[in-house]
Amino acid sequence: DTAVSQTPKYLVTQMGNDKSIKCEQNLGHDTMYWYKQDSKKFLKIMFSYNNKELIINETVPNRFSPKSPDKAHLNLHINSLELGDSAVYFCASSLRSKGQGRDTQYFGPGTRLTVL
Amino acid sequence: DQQVKQNSPSLSVQEGRISILNCDYTNSMFDYFLWYKKYPAEGPTFLISISSIKDKNEDGRFTVFLNKSAKHLSLHIVPSQPGDSAVYFCAASAGNTPLVFGKGTRLSVIA
């Protein structure tokens, strides 16, 4: 009965490869997010989708492309992986629309990506 | 440019005593503040929040205090329990903007 799940939990890959991380929420929430926690431990938002519509797109290289097939899923595809992409990526969801900062966000367990 | 700062990377407290975690912010537009708790290998979980119209919010053993003039908030945990050992993230938002998180403070509650 996991609320927000991510796969895989760990991902080790070579530079230049393309990889995807999947996220699913069973909370019936309207909004989903991707965050990146880098080596300095900052948790920074990358993208937010509301009902399959992109509403937040922070300054992220266009090698990162989120895809939301439905409001319960938000996948993250990364092309041409670089060393600096190594981080923990967290998916989250919140109930209301428009991704307001006031919404309680429910996080997945994270995906640790290591680029060699 | 860190808009939310948690200057103490770690804190150790005896079980039963008070834990005080601090957070400073620089953006005067922030009007909503949250604390999240994170255990190893898990995602952050929401703990408590406070709006800028208040200076205190309490939920059981957890109390958040907000000092707007100092741009400072703190989380008090009384009494501290071993299960409280985790990383605590402070986060803030301005209106409908996304959350901005601090780097976190690792709390260790020693039995």
Side-chain angles (χ1 to χ4, degrees), chain A residues 18-82:
Chain A
D18 303 339
K19 291 294 179 185
S20 292
I21 307 172
K22 296 186 176 181
C23 178
E24 176 180 2
Q25 55 96 0
N26 62 7
L27 298 167
H29 287 172
D30 286 337
T31 306
M32 296 184 73
Y33 313 79
W34 276 109
Y35 285 86
K36 177 180 180 182
Q37 185 181 30
D38 59 23
S39 58
K40 295 181 180 178
K41 304 301 182 186
F42 282 108
L43 199 61
K44 292 182 181 175
I45 190 162
M46 301 172 68
F47 301 102
S48 175
Y49 268 74
N50 173 254
N51 278 320
K52 303 194 296 178
E53 178 188 350
L54 180 66
I55 55 171
I56 295 173
N57 184 351
E58 294 296 300
T59 308
V60 176
N62 58 16
R63 297 183 295 103
F64 290 78
S65 53
K67 286 188 170 52
S68 182
D70 55 61
K71 76 172 192 176
H73 296 85
L74 180 62
N75 303 323
L76 184 64
H77 188 76
I78 315 171
N79 289 328
S80 303
L81 278 156
E82 300 178 356

Side-chain angles (χ1 to χ4, degrees), chain B residues 7-14 17-22 35 75-77 80 84-88 104-110:
Chain B
N7 292 320
S8 297
S10 62
L11 174 68
S12 288
V13 173
Q14 289 280 346
R17 305 293 289 267
I18 184 171
S19 295
I20 300 176
L21 296 101
N22 294 305
W35 286 93
L75 174 68
H76 292 211
I77 307 173
S80 301
D84 296 329
S85 297
V87 177
Y88 289 80
T105 296
R106 182 178 302 278
L107 173 66
S108 299
V109 179
I110 304 161

